[in-house]
């Protein structure tokens, strides 16, 4: 279940993608289990902040800034669109795959910043929620 407030543009697209994945691909998975966690996704070129709160049985999408998220993904909108296709292994870029190597290059170059990296399980969850495969 995805709960959303007033959304437009990027936040609406992310909410639709998460809702579709939870309904079709991730139905019955334990991806929503565990304690409540907040993931802030910032597309700096659009000046948009999307807060994804993952709870026990819901995912909530809001278009707002949170100063203390558990995980913060900061990038441009183009890189954000590439994030779901990036291969991860244990929540980190998988260097055996071209998309994992590309993710590592983005991080090293500073085009993709992830704060809260110690929460690699949460990064893996959000990547699965946004996956378009």
């Amino acid at each position: 279940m995805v709960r959303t407030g007033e959304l437009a543009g990027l936040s609406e697209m992310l909410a639709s993608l998460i809702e579709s994945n939870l309904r079709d691909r991730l139905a019955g998975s334990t991806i929503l289990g565990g304690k409540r966690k907040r993931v802030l996704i910032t597309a700096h070129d659009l000046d948009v902040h999307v807060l994804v709160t993952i709870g026990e049985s819901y995912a909530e999408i809001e278009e707002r800034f949170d100063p203390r998220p558990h995980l913060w993904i900061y990038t441009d909108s183009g890189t954000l669109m590439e994030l779901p296709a990036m291969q991860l292994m244990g929540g980190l870029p998988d260097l055996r795959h071209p998309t994992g190597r590309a993710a590592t290059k983005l991080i090293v170059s500073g085009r993709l910043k992830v704060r809260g990296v110690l929460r690699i399980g949460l990064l893996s969850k959000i990547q699965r929620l946004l996956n378009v495969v």
Side-chain angles (χ1 to χ4, degrees):
M1 172 181 182
V2 175
R3 297 184 290 166
T4 61
E6 292 281 330
L7 303 177
L10 181 65
S11 56
E12 176 62 37
M13 185 197 69
L14 293 176
S16 296
L17 184 58
I18 291 171
E19 184 175 48
S20 173
N21 279 335
L22 287 173
R23 183 183 60 243
D24 301 336
R25 251 182 9 88
L26 300 172
S29 78
T30 59
I31 198 163
L32 293 180
K35 295 181 181 178
R36 183 176 171 214
K37 300 289 184 189
R38 294 177 322 279
V39 178
L40 181 63
I41 302 170
T42 299
H44 60 77
D45 59 329
L46 300 177
D47 197 27
V48 172
H49 304 282
V50 179
L51 182 65
V52 180
T53 304
I54 302 170
E56 186 66 38
S57 60
Y58 68 92
E60 181 178 81
I61 316 298
E62 301 173 82
E63 193 170 300
R64 72 175 180 90
F65 181 79
D66 183 331
R68 295 188 52 132
H70 295 96
L71 182 72
W72 187 5
I73 300 169
Y74 183 88
T75 189
D76 60 86
S77 57
T79 302
L80 180 60
M81 295 299 105
E82 296 172 22
L83 184 64
M86 293 177 183
Q87 292 288 330
L88 300 180
M89 180 180 210
L92 297 172
D94 187 349
L95 298 177
R96 298 174 298 164
H97 295 280
T99 59
R101 290 189 294 273
T104 301
K105 287 179 184 175
L106 290 169
I107 292 168
V108 170
S109 72
R111 284 189 52 208
L112 172 62
K113 297 177 184 175
V114 181
R115 292 200 177 134
V117 174
L118 294 178
R119 301 185 186 279
I120 57 176
L122 185 55
L123 179 59
S124 184
K125 272 187 181 188
I126 199 71
Q127 198 254 1
R128 287 178 27 213
L129 282 171
L130 297 175
N131 202 320
V132 291
V133 176

